[in-house]
Amino acid sequence: MSDATYTPPKVWTWDKASGGQFANINRPIAGPTHDKELPVGKHPLQLYSLATPNGVKVTVMLEELLALGHAGAEYDAHLIKINEGMQFSSGFVDVNPNSKIPALLDRSTNPGTRVFESGSILLYLAEKFGAFLPKDPAKRTETLNWLFWQMGSAAFVGGGFGHFYVYAPEKYEYPINRYTMELKRQLDVLDRQLANNRYVAGDEYTIADMACWPWYGGIVVGAVYNAAEFLEAHTYTNVLRWTNELAERPAVKRGRMVNRAWGKPEEQLWERHDASDFDLKTQDKLNP
């Protein structure tokens, strides 16, 4: 156990691992650690991801587009195991210099268009296919308000609450209290919005829902950080109603399976290259 207090030096130096579950991949510099090209499938859209909440946003969007009949949204989803540092390959860094999943390469353009940051990918796909983003200026703006709210708030949920409550090697009261307070405030913001709206941005299902659901929906049902009891998630009744409704959408069910490498084998589709993969290539089928 380290000391309870810490006096920062005048100049910080990286002289030891930070500890915690992801210490082996944390570093204060950018760029690739090794040369390796990314795999490329048969479809124009190439997704490189993992089924974290940020990854699920994009696979849900793609499956929803396909459910609407947008054949051009067919995609190859390649598994990026972030705990093994695959996001630091030269090929991945070419698509996302920030070395974070998800990353998308649209090969239907010449040259191909790289898209990184989950919110940017959702907006790119919504505009490309004309779906899940209202055309009415006021409704479009409200959707983007909530999309960027989620993007700006997620750092407190993942990098803050999730890190100190789950992943930090030592548990300290101050950071856990600080980030718990902020997460509960965010849940209250969303709960109040959903009290008078079926979906996050109003009466229409949009990319704002796809952005918020994997994080806040996952939090209130205990799927993210197993903290539902700690956070008294049952008190956010509107968030729970919305969470459960979206969870029943067939495209959402498929999207959360893609690039998933943990949990029930029948819910793990490590890579997705064809719609038939959901029936034929989940882990219970490949490793019975």
Side-chain angles (χ1 to χ4, degrees):
M1 178 70 73
S2 64
D3 293 337
T5 59
Y6 168 67
T7 302
K10 290 185 177 180
V11 178
W12 183 84
T13 56
W14 183 36
D15 56 5
K16 62 181 179 180
S18 61
Q21 184 169 335
F22 298 103
N24 64 317
I25 61 171
N26 290 334
R27 59 193 185 118
I29 55 176
T33 59
H34 58 285
D35 289 326
K36 187 173 183 180
E37 294 184 1
L38 289 173
V40 178
K42 62 184 179 180
H43 300 298
L45 296 178
Q46 299 294 302
L47 179 67
Y48 304 94
S49 191
L50 183 69
T52 66
N54 285 334
V56 168
K57 296 176 191 177
V58 177
T59 49
V60 165
M61 174 63 163
L62 289 165
E63 291 298 327
E64 292 282 13
L65 287 169
L66 291 170
L68 279 183
H70 292 284
E74 273 293 351
Y75 67 103
D76 293 279
H78 307 275
L79 180 64
I80 301 295
K81 297 181 179 180
I82 60 175
N83 60 317
E84 296 179 9
M86 295 173 66
Q87 69 275 31
F88 298 116
S89 72
S90 57
F92 192 93
V93 172
D94 284 343
V95 179
N96 185 358
N98 196 37
S99 292
K100 301 288 185 180
I101 61 93
L104 179 74
L105 182 63
D106 183 355
R107 299 171 67 243
S108 69
T109 64
N110 188 19
T113 301
R114 72 178 188 182
V115 197
F116 58 90
E117 292 298 324
S118 57
S120 179
I121 298 173
L122 291 178
L123 182 55
Y124 178 84
L125 292 172
E127 292 183 331
K128 181 180 178 71
F129 294 101
F132 302 113
L133 181 61
K135 293 180 172 56
D136 174 79
K139 292 182 178 181
R140 173 188 169 89
T141 299
E142 184 69 0
T143 299
L144 295 180
N145 287 341
W146 288 101
L147 172 65
F148 288 105
W149 173 80
Q150 190 282 319
M151 293 297 295
S153 300
F156 289 93
V157 181
F161 176 80
H163 177 77
F164 288 108
Y165 184 74
V166 179
Y167 301 123
E170 299 164 330
K171 302 294 186 287
Y172 289 111
E173 183 178 7
Y174 174 78
I176 291 176
N177 282 349
R178 170 68 180 88
Y179 286 104
T180 298
M181 183 182 300
E182 174 60 17
L183 174 52
K184 286 180 70 67
R185 189 192 68 81
Q186 291 178 23
L187 285 168
D188 193 43
V189 169
L190 187 59
D191 197 66
R192 290 168 184 263
Q193 173 67 7
L194 289 167
N196 299 309
N197 297 280
R198 181 178 179 184
Y199 299 112
V200 171
D203 59 0
E204 189 174 342
Y205 178 59
T206 70
I207 55 175
D209 297 283
M210 298 176 203
C212 293
W213 182 83
W215 278 110
Y216 299 101
I219 286 284
V220 295
V221 298
V224 178
Y225 307 136
N226 193 27
E229 181 179 6
F230 177 73
L231 295 166
E232 293 185 301
H234 68 279
T235 63
Y236 303 103
T237 55
N238 302 304
V239 177
L240 282 165
R241 183 269 306 162
W242 164 82
T243 296
N244 292 331
E245 179 179 346
L246 265 60
E248 292 304 311
R249 295 179 68 93
V252 171
K253 291 180 179 181
R254 292 192 298 272
R256 68 180 299 274
M257 293 171 61
V258 179
N259 296 143
R260 187 175 181 86
W262 59 87
K264 298 178 181 179
E266 63 270 22
E267 295 179 353
Q268 296 183 40
L269 184 61
W270 285 22
E271 299 217 343
R272 188 264 193 220
H273 302 286
D274 189 86
S276 64
D277 292 346
F278 290 101
D279 296 320
L280 302 175
K281 295 187 177 180
T282 51
Q283 284 300 297
D284 61 315
K285 305 291 192 338
L286 297 180
N287 298 296

